[in-house]
Amino acid sequence: DSGVTQTPKHLITATGQRVTLRCSPRSGDLSVYWYQQSLDQGLQFLIQYYNGEERAKGNILERFSAQQFPDLHSELNLSSLELGDSALYFCASSVVQGNTEAFFGQGTRLTVV
Amino acid sequence: GQNIDQPTEMTATEGAIVQINCTYQTSGFNGLFWYQQHAGEAPTFLSYNVLDGLEEKGRFSSFLSRSKGYSYLLLKELQMKDSASYLCAVRGRYNTDKLIFGTGTRLQVFP
């Protein structure tokens, strides 16, 4: 158990809908990262938050948004869903000192039908 | 920008040694990470290099050459459970920077 919690584990929804994915980082971790992994693809960086502020943005679509709350949990909002948005969405967190690997949650598998 | 290259697939035999290479080009560098990912599961951390040289951790070792933008992960005494994808990731200049991942190398271990 990495200590990073993601909910829900699975989500099936229709095209055009909106969903919210939730991530609780490890206790004490200030950085939260979101990644998208489509079938047989690598991890695509979406967005990073550090202590409540947006730190870096990757190839995140305008239909997607995220935020980090004062208690450091984060939410990824996906709207106007398309079939191609079906993927595993991972959240990771890390502390920010020294050897700071990122720890990953178990992911949310999103299926858009 | 950042570019990370790894072979797509490799195969090996149980008990053998395999080396997975990773080359990278980044605008800033503050560490290279190796992760293991079984299909449909979360990536799990294997190793970290920030200085040149070899880091050994049991059956797994990782090497880094910053001047060449090159790293490898060495897996010894391969076991069937080592069949997984191995992801190379680079962090930018600062500890607060994101990790950028390569597409991963899918390793299949045969008996």
Side-chain angles (χ1 to χ4, degrees), chain A residues 9-62:
Chain A
K9 285 193 171 60
H10 301 277
L11 199 49
I12 301 176
T13 190
T15 54
Q17 295 299 303
R18 172 190 168 95
V19 297
T20 297
L21 312 184
R22 183 188 167 102
C23 170
S24 293
R26 292 188 322 152
S27 177
D29 284 0
L30 297 179
S31 261
V32 170
Y33 315 79
W34 286 98
Y35 291 87
Q36 179 193 54
Q37 188 174 42
S38 302
L39 193 62
D40 292 334
Q41 299 292 310
L43 285 165
Q44 297 295 319
F45 171 71
L46 295 178
I47 197 164
Q48 178 197 2
Y49 281 83
Y50 173 65
N51 202 20
E53 301 286 329
E54 183 183 301
R55 178 75 171 82
K57 230 173 185 177
N59 298 323
I60 187 166
L61 300 171
E62 284 191 12

Side-chain angles (χ1 to χ4, degrees), chain A residues 35 37 45 48 55 100 102, chain B residues 35 37 91 96 98-99:
Chain A
Y35 291 87
Q37 188 174 42
F45 171 71
Q48 178 197 2
R55 178 75 171 82
T100 57
Chain B
Y35 281 79
Q37 185 181 27
R91 183 169 62 202
T96 50
K98 59 191 180 289
L99 295 184

Side-chain angles (χ1 to χ4, degrees), chain B:
Chain B
Q2 290 164 307
N3 189 43
I4 301 171
D5 286 314
Q6 307 178 231
T8 305
E9 289 190 5
M10 297 183 72
T11 59
T13 306
E14 201 174 10
I17 299 173
V18 71
Q19 177 175 313
I20 303 174
N21 296 324
C22 171
T23 57
Y24 64 90
Q25 293 172 307
T26 59
S27 52
F29 180 82
N30 191 11
L32 187 140
F33 299 78
W34 283 96
Y35 281 79
Q36 180 191 61
Q37 185 181 27
H38 287 97
E41 297 182 10
T44 55
F45 170 73
L46 289 178
S47 70
Y48 167 75
N49 295 72
V50 68
L51 300 176
D52 290 353
L54 190 68
E55 294 283 338
E56 297 189 77
K57 247 186 182 184
R59 294 191 299 115
F60 295 77
S61 305
S62 57
F63 171 83
L64 174 67
S65 168
R66 287 171 298 169
S67 63
K68 295 180 179 174
Y70 168 70
S71 173
Y72 68 71
L73 180 70
L74 195 70
L75 293 78
K76 302 175 191 172
E77 300 168 16
L78 280 171
Q79 302 175 9
M80 298 295 290
K81 67 178 182 179
D82 297 328
S83 293
S85 287
Y86 291 85
L87 314 177
C88 171
V90 174
R91 183 169 62 202
R93 183 171 302 158
Y94 304 107
N95 279 346
T96 50
D97 282 0
K98 59 191 180 289
L99 295 184
I100 297 298
F101 284 82
T103 52
T105 299
R106 186 179 301 173
L107 173 66
Q108 273 194 292
V109 179
F110 293 99

Side-chain angles (χ1 to χ4, degrees), chain A residues 4 14 22 25 31 33 36-37 50 69-70 73-74 81 94 99 101 110 112:
Chain A
V4 179
R22 183 188 167 102
S31 261
Y33 315 79
Q36 179 193 54
Q37 188 174 42
Y50 173 65
F69 295 86
H73 90 270
S74 178
L81 284 167
S94 69
N99 176 4
E101 71 266 30
L110 173 67
V112 183

